[in-house]
């Protein structure tokens, strides 16, 4: 069974703290993604990575950074958390486009982050 | 990638068919049409995809207009477990990114 796991389902942090959200996939996928989901705004792409140590900005990268040191792991970093980063964060992975026209994205269960 | 337009919400009675529309007037010739759904408290999951021809699988059917500017996801008999947000997404053959938008929130009435 394919699996994308995220380190926490719920997380509460204080303003100014450094926050790490971890995502691990076991499908040997090249692509990994971080989204945030807010009511009325749908899923918005923060960053994605198509290879180890490679990253591309998505639609809303401001206030975030990412790290991909190993193929199976993609971390989202909030350098100094702010209250407007309170959200649901979803990680996903997929094969590299062009390998298959299918390139289905597999999602983790999400991390609900609250910044106080 | 081209964007899609979907109604914000729809309702259906249980055990009746549901037709979820999606407009994608700027679709290019190599764009695939994907549908995902997101059940409450879960991440999105794949439902179906197609290019030009109508497609069927165990979850749903996808009807694609002849000009490909619109498509319809068909759930043949809605169940309470089909209550979810449904996303229509376009992606090119070399497009790694998906644009999810806000989708259609489907309510199934018992």
């Amino acid at each position: 069974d394919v699996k994308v796991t995220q380190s926490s389902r719920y997380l509460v942090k204080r303003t100014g703290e450094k926050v790490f959200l971890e995502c691990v996939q076991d499908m040997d996928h090249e692509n990994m993604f971080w989204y945030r989901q807010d009511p009325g705004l749908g899923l918005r792409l923060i960053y994605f990575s198509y290879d180890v140590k490679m990253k591309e900005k998505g639609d809303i990268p401001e206030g975030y950074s990412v790290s991909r040191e190993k193929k199976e792991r993609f971390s989202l970093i909030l350098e100094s958390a702010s209250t407007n980063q309170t959200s649901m964060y979803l990680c996903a992975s997929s094969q590299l486009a062009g390998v298959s026209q299918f390139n289905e994205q597999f999602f983790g269960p999400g991390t609900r982050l609250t910044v106080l | 990638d081209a964007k899609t337009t979907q109604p914000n919400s729809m309702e259906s009675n249980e055990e009746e068919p549901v037709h979820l529309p999606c407009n994608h007037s700027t679709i290019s010739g190599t764009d695939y049409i994907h549908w995902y759904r997101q059940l409450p408290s879960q991440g999105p999951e794949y439902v179906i995809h197609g290019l030009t021809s109508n497609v069927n699988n165990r979850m749903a059917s996808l009807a694609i207009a002849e000009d490909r500017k619109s498509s319809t996801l068909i759930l043949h008999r809605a169940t309470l477990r089909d209550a979810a947000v449904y996303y229509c997404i376009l992606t090119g053959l070399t497009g790694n990114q998906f644009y999810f938008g806000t989708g259609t929130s489907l309510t199934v009435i018992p």
Side-chain angles (χ1 to χ4, degrees), chain B residues 34-108:
Chain B
H34 295 248
W35 283 82
Y36 280 67
R37 73 176 185 181
Q38 186 174 17
L39 301 170
S41 302
Q42 295 187 27
E45 61 179 1
Y46 167 82
V47 177
I48 200 166
H49 78 288
L51 183 62
T52 56
S53 304
N54 294 344
V55 183
N56 300 297
N57 67 19
R58 63 175 179 82
M59 291 179 70
S61 296
L62 176 60
I64 301 172
E66 195 168 334
D67 64 6
R68 301 210 326 125
K69 293 184 184 300
S70 66
S71 61
T72 302
L73 180 71
I74 302 166
L75 308 179
H76 296 286
R77 286 181 73 231
T79 69
L80 297 178
R81 287 173 296 183
D82 290 323
V85 178
Y86 288 79
Y87 299 95
C88 170
I89 302 155
L90 302 182
T91 183
L93 190 60
T94 58
N96 289 292
Q97 299 182 56
F98 287 5
Y99 176 76
F100 276 84
T102 55
T104 297
S105 179
L106 175 66
T107 300
V108 179

